[in-house]
Amino acid sequence: MRTSSVLLLAVAALALVAGATSADIAASSTAGKTYKGYTFATDTAPYLNISRDICLIKKVLNTKQPDYTFAKGIYMDGYYGKLASKDGGLIAMRRMATDVKTNEPLWTQYQKHFNNPVWLDDLLVRAFGKVPPYDSDKARVQLIVKTLESSLQVSYLFHELDQAINEVQAKKANASLDVDPVYRVDKAWAIFVGADTDCGL
Ligand SMILES: *[C@@H]1O[C@H](CO)[C@@H](O)[C@H](O)[C@H]1NC(C)=O
Ligand SMILES: *[C@@H]1O[C@H](CO)[C@@H](O)[C@H](O)[C@H]1NC(C)=O
């Protein structure tokens, strides 16, 4: 076989391997693609990167000298998940934690339980800022990681589903409303499962 053919074959094999990795799913539109058993109808690619941001935070915090500044920056501004969303805003976890949500039974329940409209953000800011009782590395790292991984990802999943229900009802009342409940469900899935097999669901 000529060298060029061998090279071509090698490139083709690499392309196959690359095609199978989950990294690609977040690199372009998810519309029409099946990933982890779910077929997206709309493009929610940027949201697949939220779990990457959480994994990066875990990586920089689970060390002897946790890098809280870098971790906080990822939370505030996003790292992989930084691209603009469909509605034009930048996607960062802080925005997810703090944007105003209306008519959402579950989110309201969290707010009531913690007696704080920005309960998620408040916990995180305290842990990042070393505010007692979150003043040991152990407490800070645990709180940050668990609040992002469990509370933010899960409560945001329900936020999107509640929004989807609201939008279905709104559309019933006015079919020409520019809302897309399917996009909401896709987004919920993207945030919850994440882009990587070794990170996220
Ligand atoms: C998600 O992150 C990967 C890098 O890990 C990047 O290649 C991709 O463009 C990002 N996707 C979006 C939609 O931002
Ligand atoms: C229905 O929604 C469209 C698009 O937002 C709007 O222009 C129209 O006024 C709404 N109709 C009613 C009856 O509210």
Side-chain angles (χ1 to χ4, degrees):
M1 208 183 288
R2 289 208 329 258
T3 320
S4 58
S5 321
V6 174
L7 215 76
L8 267 180
L9 270 180
V11 169
L14 264 179
L16 270 181
V17 171
T21 63
S22 54
D24 278 357
I25 189 74
S28 60
S29 172
T30 54
K33 284 188 200 149
T34 300
Y35 177 63
K36 294 186 182 177
Y38 176 86
T39 303
F40 292 95
T42 64
D43 180 22
T44 52
Y47 290 94
L48 282 158
N49 275 352
I50 295 289
S51 81
R52 273 197 183 123
D53 280 357
I54 296 179
C55 290
L56 186 58
I57 287 180
K58 275 164 82 173
K59 201 170 146 201
V60 300
L61 291 187
N62 283 320
T63 57
K64 281 213 175 96
Q65 282 181 319
D67 191 343
Y68 294 106
T69 308
F70 186 39
K72 190 178 177 186
I74 301 170
Y75 168 66
M76 302 291 277
D77 304 319
Y79 189 84
Y80 297 117
K82 208 174 183 162
L83 291 189
S85 67
K86 195 179 172 185
D87 57 12
L90 283 182
I91 303 160
M93 287 180 277
R94 181 165 213 214
R95 189 176 144 214
M96 292 163 64
T98 55
D99 58 3
V100 178
K101 301 165 186 68
T102 44
N103 195 15
E104 296 188 23
L106 197 82
W107 200 275
T108 312
Q109 222 169 329
Y110 278 118
Q111 289 171 323
K112 276 194 187 142
H113 177 80
F114 289 100
N115 196 20
N116 187 336
V118 286
W119 50 282
L120 261 173
D121 185 60
D122 198 53
L123 280 175
L124 288 163
V125 168
R126 279 166 196 249
F128 280 126
K130 210 178 176 182
V131 176
Y134 313 118
D135 43 9
S136 70
D137 278 339
K138 202 171 174 185
R140 295 172 79 190
V141 171
Q142 286 279 321
L143 190 90
I144 294 165
V145 168
K146 290 205 168 126
T147 302
L148 293 174
E149 210 168 29
S150 310
S151 310
L152 183 69
Q153 264 180 314
V154 172
S155 55
Y156 213 81
L157 165 92
F158 284 109
H159 151 67
E160 291 298 341
L161 296 180
D162 275 337
Q163 280 294 92
I165 294 169
N166 291 342
E167 290 184 359
V168 167
Q169 278 158 357
K171 261 211 183 275
K172 266 190 196 160
N174 181 351
S176 50
L177 267 189
D178 184 23
V179 291
D180 187 354
V182 175
Y183 173 68
R184 293 284 183 182
V185 176
D186 281 353
K187 212 164 129 184
W189 180 253
I191 289 165
F192 193 64
V193 304
D196 295 322
T197 40
D198 57 352
C199 159
L201 194 72

